[in-house]
Amino acid sequence: MMAIGVYKTGNSIIRTRQLLMYHDGVPRRVRVWLILIFGFLYQYAGSINLSSMNQMVGEISFLNEDVQMAGYCMLAGITVCFPVMYRLKFAMYTRQLFFVSGIGLMFCTAITMSIAIPWVVCGASFIAGFFKMLGMFGCTSNFRLCVTPSRNYAIFFPVIYFMVVGGTYLSGLTTAYLTYYGNWRLMNLFVILLLMIHVAIVYFMMKPDHRPGPYMSLKGIDLIGFILWCGFIISGMWIFCYGEHYEWWRGNQVWLGTLICCLFFAGAWCRSRFHERPYLSLHIFSYTAVWKIIFWLFVASILQSAPRLLQSIYVNSILGYDSLNVISLNYPILYGVLLGAILAFYTKVKWCWNTKQYLVLSFALLTSYIVAMYFLIDGNTNKEAFFIPLVAVGISEVMIGSISNVYLSQSVPFSYFFFGLSAIGYSRCGIGNAAGAALVQRLYNWAVVKNSMSASENIDGTVLPFDMPSWSETMAVVSRQSVMMTLKECYGYLILVGIVMILLIIMSTYKTTVTRLIPKMSAIRRWMSNPRVEDPADSVIRKKSD
């Protein structure tokens, strides 16, 4: 298979690379760096950060599930906004788009730091996720031709995921340090300050009347469908977030949540089925590639729960790390994120790997982390031993995210591409993400009860199998050993999941019939005026076999 090469660029692309939304006095190199910095800034914003969960739970009497649900709501806001991104872009001036997203994020961040009502915080987080994606889309749609003049998706998406994943982990580091030396609200204030600087730069350096194309009204957007799909994803995430707290379907709350989720899904499906221009077209689910991506992203969410959940239990309960030592484990992941972006570029563009080879490497790296942790579980493991496994986590996270979008872009027409991003987002950021974490949490809770009973069944107050000065210290040792046994058992099950997934990838086929390029903005404008055309002009160039 030949890689997508460097293609000739016309004057329209050269003009687009100049980022004409800036005033003429702004140097061209500064324009590019500013828009890249804005992209990183939007990864800091989002109204709430899970790194400050302990302080939030202790100070404002939130449940852990309340903070997690707020984080999930932010991801839901990111997921549901894709179908209307270009409509919003053409409805506003470029400067106006950044004003709306920046000021909206400031208000949402201020709400989450000042109101201690869970449903209000979740609602503000959902809106913040929408504004966050709107601002990020404003950045990526403007610098895409600066990143890849050849309009190659395989170059574009590794850069995007380097910004998204890297910015997310940097945000976690910043939150942890500000929380440790101050208060969790300091991060909110810091984000508001950064957003104020961002809005000021946009105000003084960008033209007030620049628009990438003719004005396009927002009239005709299916708002009812939007509300129904939002209700479905939020209620679905609520089930998996609060399921363990309410003892799953043994409690009435989860049954009620399931009923509401099913009603929202039925309403959204019927609305999309019979509405002339639905918010989320059901035709996207007729593509086999979409189901493949949804499946491997769901499996990835299960495997990625190991560094997020099991590792957190291990370093806190067994090794006794404080918050700074725990968050310092983000540094090797950041190195892995950088290496992952480079490796994603070389494997797909330079070395001409096909999708199957790429996926096998990605899941092999993620599984190798779990294998390494299985053998590292001990009461005296040094922190340095986690370095290489966590680098593998960072590499795999960028590569899996990149190949999902690249494979989607090559498998569906551009007219359904943003529907596809929203559809796979239900697995990557929405219900699939929450379900994967809930499955691993449930597995851990089941195994820890079983192992605790097994480890303590022959111990009583008169006969101790080892020399301990007190009964309480004896039970502390038993509890510690049962947790380590449980972690090993959970890692073992996840290793099996990873191996099975790699075998399924090897046995599957991932063929695409055409090579699609990132469309020019002028072609997108013409395409939006004629929605019956599946791909903008000059974006499909040749046949290929993957």
Side-chain angles (χ1 to χ4, degrees):
M1 182 194 71
M2 296 297 294
I4 300 175
V6 177
Y7 303 100
K8 295 181 180 180
T9 58
N11 292 332
S12 61
I13 293 182
I14 294 174
R15 286 177 57 81
T16 305
R17 291 176 63 192
Q18 294 175 1
L19 300 177
L20 299 178
M21 76 287 295
Y22 287 100
H23 288 297
D24 295 337
V26 181
R28 292 181 183 177
R29 291 184 181 274
V30 174
R31 300 180 188 187
V32 177
W33 283 109
L34 279 177
I35 209 76
L36 289 172
I37 292 171
F38 292 163
F40 273 104
L41 168 61
Y42 280 111
Q43 305 316 309
Y44 271 74
S47 78
I48 200 166
N49 196 299
L50 298 182
S51 299
S52 60
M53 178 186 293
N54 292 335
Q55 274 203 12
M56 293 183 68
V57 170
E59 182 176 335
I60 58 179
S61 300
F62 272 20
L63 298 173
N64 286 330
E65 289 80 4
D66 294 333
V67 182
Q68 290 175 356
M69 187 63 198
Y72 285 141
C73 284
M74 184 192 68
L75 295 176
I78 293 174
T79 299
V80 299
C81 68
F82 282 110
V84 294
M85 281 292 98
Y86 270 111
R87 294 286 294 272
L88 292 171
K89 182 177 177 65
F90 287 120
M92 293 183 282
Y93 296 113
T94 302
R95 192 172 78 165
Q96 186 181 9
L97 183 147
F98 286 119
F99 278 166
V100 170
S101 56
I103 296 173
L105 281 169
M106 280 192 277
F107 276 109
C108 293
T109 305
I111 289 173
T112 55
M113 66 179 288
S114 56
I115 297 179
I117 303 174
W119 68 268
V120 175
V121 173
C122 290
S125 298
F126 176 82
I127 298 171
F130 195 99
F131 285 135
K132 178 177 181 175
M133 191 62 238
L134 177 62
M136 187 64 185
F137 182 76
C139 296
T140 57
S141 60
N142 283 312
F143 71 63
R144 58 201 175 97
L145 294 179
C146 302
V147 172
T148 169
S150 60
R151 301 187 285 144
N152 189 345
Y153 281 107
I155 299 174
F156 178 66
F157 282 119
V159 175
I160 298 302
Y161 272 89
F162 168 71
M163 295 175 63
V164 171
V165 181
T168 301
Y169 282 109
L170 280 174
S171 174
L173 281 166
T174 307
T175 302
Y177 283 112
L178 290 176
T179 302
Y180 185 83
Y181 293 109
N183 185 273
W184 64 272
R185 289 185 174 87
L186 285 178
M187 183 60 185
N188 295 60
L189 294 173
F190 179 64
V191 169
I192 291 174
L193 176 62
L194 292 179
L195 289 170
M196 291 174 66
I197 296 173
H198 163 58
V199 171
I201 292 174
V202 168
Y203 179 79
F204 288 108
M205 291 191 177
M206 288 189 179
K207 300 173 184 177
D209 57 349
H210 177 272
R211 195 196 306 272
Y215 170 77
M216 180 171 289
S217 173
L218 296 178
K219 185 178 180 180
I221 294 177
D222 182 16
L223 293 179
I224 296 177
F226 169 74
I227 294 171
L228 291 172
W229 284 111
C230 289
F232 166 62
I233 189 173
I234 292 174
S235 57
M237 291 189 300
W238 185 92
I239 293 170
F240 293 106
C241 182
Y242 287 91
E244 195 69 31
H245 178 73
Y246 290 116
E247 298 184 342
W248 294 102
W249 286 274
R250 288 191 291 269
N252 294 329
Q253 294 89 340
V254 178
W255 276 111
L256 179 60
T258 304
L259 175 62
I260 293 173
C261 181
C262 292
L263 290 175
F264 271 120
F265 177 73
W269 188 272
C270 292
R271 181 72 178 181
S272 297
R273 177 69 177 83
F274 298 107
H275 195 267
E276 182 181 0
R277 300 189 67 177
Y279 188 81
L280 179 61
S281 174
L282 298 182
H283 184 69
I284 188 62
F285 297 105
S286 65
Y287 293 95
T288 305
V290 173
W291 289 106
K292 289 181 179 179
I293 297 171
I294 289 174
F295 175 70
W296 81 51
L297 286 176
F298 176 65
V299 175
S301 70
I302 295 175
L303 298 179
Q304 288 169 350
S305 296
R308 296 169 185 168
L309 176 64
L310 299 180
Q311 178 183 290
S312 177
I313 295 172
Y314 175 52
V315 298
N316 282 286
S317 301
I318 304 301
L319 300 182
Y321 287 1
D322 61 10
S323 59
L324 290 187
N325 277 296
V326 171
I327 203 62
S328 67
L329 297 176
N330 276 13
Y331 285 112
I333 298 180
L334 281 172
Y335 302 145
V337 168
L338 177 59
L339 291 175
I342 296 172
L343 190 59
F345 168 76
Y346 273 92
T347 52
K348 197 67 178 172
V349 179
K350 295 293 186 181
W351 301 338
C352 309
W353 284 20
N354 59 34
T355 302
K356 181 183 293 188
Q357 293 170 312
Y358 192 105
L359 279 173
V360 168
L361 175 62
S362 302
F363 277 93
L365 286 168
L366 185 54
T367 306
S368 69
Y369 159 80
I370 302 173
V371 172
M373 290 300 297
Y374 179 87
F375 291 104
L376 287 175
I377 295 294
D378 186 75
N380 300 305
T381 303
N382 293 325
K383 187 170 69 173
E384 291 75 12
F386 301 131
F387 185 88
I388 294 178
L390 289 175
V391 169
V393 171
I395 295 174
S396 65
E397 191 164 352
V398 173
M399 293 187 69
I400 291 173
S402 299
I403 193 58
S404 300
N405 287 12
V406 172
Y407 184 61
L408 179 69
S409 68
Q410 302 304 305
S411 302
V412 303
F414 188 78
S415 57
Y416 292 101
F417 177 61
F418 284 89
F419 291 136
L421 288 177
S422 185
I424 67 175
Y426 281 77
S427 179
R428 173 164 47 197
C429 301
I431 298 175
N433 186 24
L439 284 173
V440 176
Q441 180 69 63
R442 183 59 186 162
L443 173 65
Y444 173 82
N445 291 343
W446 166 78
V448 76
V449 172
K450 181 195 68 171
N451 290 324
S452 296
M453 294 176 63
S454 176
S456 60
E457 63 182 359
N458 294 322
I459 299 177
D460 57 35
T462 57
V463 179
L464 299 179
F466 41 82
D467 185 18
M468 277 289 167
S470 68
W471 174 254
S472 60
E473 291 190 18
T474 300
M475 294 310 298
V477 171
V478 171
S479 176
R480 179 184 173 92
Q481 292 297 321
S482 64
V483 169
M484 287 194 287
M485 290 168 56
T486 300
L487 290 172
K488 271 187 173 291
E489 185 173 352
C490 292
Y491 278 122
Y493 288 131
L494 292 178
I495 290 170
L496 294 177
V497 172
I499 293 173
V500 170
M501 184 62 197
I502 293 172
L503 293 176
L504 289 175
I505 292 171
I506 293 173
M507 292 186 293
S508 301
T509 58
Y510 300 92
K511 293 183 178 180
T512 53
T513 58
V514 296
T515 296
R516 289 186 171 88
L517 303 178
I518 301 174
K520 302 175 185 178
M521 192 59 68
S522 58
I524 292 175
R525 291 195 296 267
R526 293 193 298 269
W527 165 78
M528 293 189 72
S529 63
N530 186 13
R532 289 177 294 179
V533 179
E534 290 191 334
D535 287 292
D538 300 325
S539 62
V540 180
I541 59 170
R542 63 183 174 87
K543 299 284 184 178
K544 79 169 188 176
S545 177
D546 192 11

